Amino acid sequence: MQLMNLFRSSVGRKLFMACSGLMLAGFVAAHLLGNTTLFAGSAAINAYAEQLHKLGPVLWIFRLGLLGALLVHVTFGIWLTLQNRAAKPMGYAKKAVQSTTLAAETMIYSGLALLAFVVYHLLHFTLRKVGLDPSLFSDAAGQVDVFRMIVLSFKQWPLVLLYTGGLAALFLHLSHGISSTFQTLGACNEQLLPLLRKAGLVAALALLAGYLSIPLLTFFGLVS
Amino acid sequence: MNLTLHVWRQQGPDDKGQLERHQATDVSPDMSFLEMLDEVNEALIKEGREPIVFDHDCREGICGTCSQVINGQPHGPQAETTVCQLHMRQFKDGDEIYIEPWRARAFPVLKDLIVDRTAMDRIVEAGGYVSVSTGGVPDANAILIPKDDADTAMDAAECIGCGACVAACPNGSAMLFVSAKVGQLAKLPQGRPEAASRVCAMTETMLDEGFGNCSNHYECEASCPKGISVKFIAMLNREYLKALPKLKSK
Ligand code: HEM
Ligand code: SF4
Ligand code: FES
């Protein structure tokens, strides 16, 4: 079977990583675009949230697709990391790094931190099991005011700190992950690689700045 | 100049091994690194001690036999230079030099600085060749090859199979080596018929032999004495994608 060949080859295994990572990164970018409706005020983001929920089954297809991608990404990420460690049982007494980066060397740690953050984030804003008491931002009928929920949350400094930490992990992960994906998918050559390494860093920085603006601007009272 | 060496000494594959201090005295800057070790070994032999065992053959940077990690860098500090072509003028009086063998699960240490690199031969046996049915000699230039393709194939063919890329890789992956072999043949018409099976067989054998997976650290390129570019790894990945629809079940 084709799929078996994919598992057996080193490149096949990497393709699972790259494709799932690309899907997740695509979601991360789209999610930020959606979130910026926050800056257009209460009506805008509540309308956006309502539109999303109106999608019904389509929304669920997206959610399941993302969950699948995350499962593949985490499983292969842990598996490949264990394999790679086993392939290098012993390092050098004298170390000299020439080309790799902190981000590349810590992919598994930034990834696991991201996983923890994603779980918290879902419990916080999607399932509303942690953080503020939901009665603070829902009306008597249980209708949630998304704008109020976000703004009240990010008035709490521990939450702002936690989100900053999660976003730092995202930045670290993507600062290597984006350019790495292009190389894995073969969309690279001698001229493109140095450019892509810079562009990947810039894209990761842009995502960091975009996402960070939400808790920070809210905390400092610029969104209310 | 006088140098302090910290050399990996290991009796055999099952010995634990450790770094051992040696002094290299009156080293001329014109000596090659291996000549410096030869002198250290002469002194050891005179003292009745076992000389440091290391691999070498051509001593002109073409055979890929010499294999030492010097101060953490495979083949030492000079870019695109094998250990045998490295000269002592790269160092200065009083330097401390760490000399260690290639480290990777697929390269078990046999003795001191010598590792078993036959795993790379088995990767080549898996597909790093073209099958040629012998017969009459074909006309020269009967098969036209664009200059760019020929140049790229020649760039890949510069790989001397030394294994420095594996030694440098934090994952002990042989991806740069495999990509040089795959890339060299993929760019030539004679290599196309077996391109799909080659890339699959070679990347599968790489894992079976205990090498790791590439995660794009690019330490390999920085250590390669022949300057093989990681663009060949991207090319290998493209070759793999092209091969996927052609694969039959196994
Ligand atoms: C929002 C979540 C995430 C995004 C957007 C993301 C994105 C990416 C991308 C684009 C890559 C590069 C793929 C490649 O090299 O071809 C990558 C690699 C990686 N990711 Fe993630 N990732 C996420 C979550 C995680 C999680 C939860 C883990 C935990 C196991 C993880 C572990 C890894 C590892 C270990 C690699 C390196 C794989 C390798 O090069 O061998 N990632 N990620
Ligand atoms: S790619 Fe470079 S470092 Fe790797 S085996 Fe070939 S010549 Fe040596
Ligand atoms: S001894 Fe042949 S390349 Fe160094």
Side-chain angles (χ1 to χ4, degrees), chain A residues 127-163:
Chain A
L127 301 171
R128 303 180 196 102
K129 298 286 185 219
V130 297
L132 300 181
D133 181 353
S135 65
L136 289 172
F137 47 77
S138 351
D139 59 18
Q143 186 66 34
V144 173
D145 181 343
V146 176
F147 184 79
R148 229 179 123 72
M149 173 175 80
I150 297 172
V151 171
L152 287 180
S153 286
F154 289 144
K155 286 288 180 198
Q156 321 279 323
W157 68 262
L159 281 177
V160 173
L161 219 59
L162 199 134
Y163 273 75

Side-chain angles (χ1 to χ4, degrees), chain A residues 1-2 4-15 79-80 83-101 104-106 176 179-190 193 197, chain B residues 8 19 69 71-73 98 100-105 166-167 169-172 175 203-204 206-208 210-219 222-223 229-231 233-234 236-238 240-241 244-245 247-250:
Chain A
M1 211 178 73
Q2 304 278 57
M4 281 321 288
N5 286 308
L6 272 177
F7 283 128
R8 292 220 344 101
S9 164
S10 178
V11 191
R13 294 178 191 181
K14 285 279 302 171
L15 285 176
W79 187 39
L80 287 173
Q83 267 187 347
N84 291 348
R85 298 222 165 145
K88 196 87 177 177
M90 190 171 178
Y92 298 106
K94 179 100 179 173
K95 289 179 193 67
V97 162
Q98 298 182 73
S99 159
T100 189
T101 57
E105 287 182 307
T106 54
H176 175 72
S179 67
S180 180
T181 307
F182 284 96
Q183 171 79 355
T184 303
L185 295 176
C188 245
N189 61 27
E190 235 164 350
L193 183 59
R197 280 182 99 174
Chain B
W8 186 260
L19 285 170
V69 175
N71 287 339
Q73 284 175 279
Y98 284 78
E100 299 173 74
W102 281 179
R103 295 270 185 224
R105 179 177 56 178
V166 180
C169 177
N171 306 334
M175 200 72 146
T203 53
E204 284 171 15
M206 179 176 98
L207 285 191
D208 295 343
F211 294 96
N213 306 282
C214 174
S215 55
N216 303 330
H217 291 282
Y218 310 132
E219 288 289 313
S223 294
S229 157
V230 293
K231 77 173 175 192
I233 297 183
L236 176 146
N237 293 339
R238 286 197 295 278
Y240 186 79
L241 285 173
L244 275 185
L247 287 183
K248 289 195 197 71
S249 45
K250 270 202 197 151

Side-chain angles (χ1 to χ4, degrees), chain B residues 34 55-67 75 82-85 160 162 225-226:
Chain B
L34 297 188
D55 247 346
H56 63 98
D57 187 17
C58 70
R59 295 209 179 193
E60 55 182 21
I62 55 167
C63 75
T65 310
C66 55
S67 47
H75 289 301
T82 54
V83 184
C84 59
Q85 294 289 89
I160 53 176
C162 63
K226 297 296 150 186

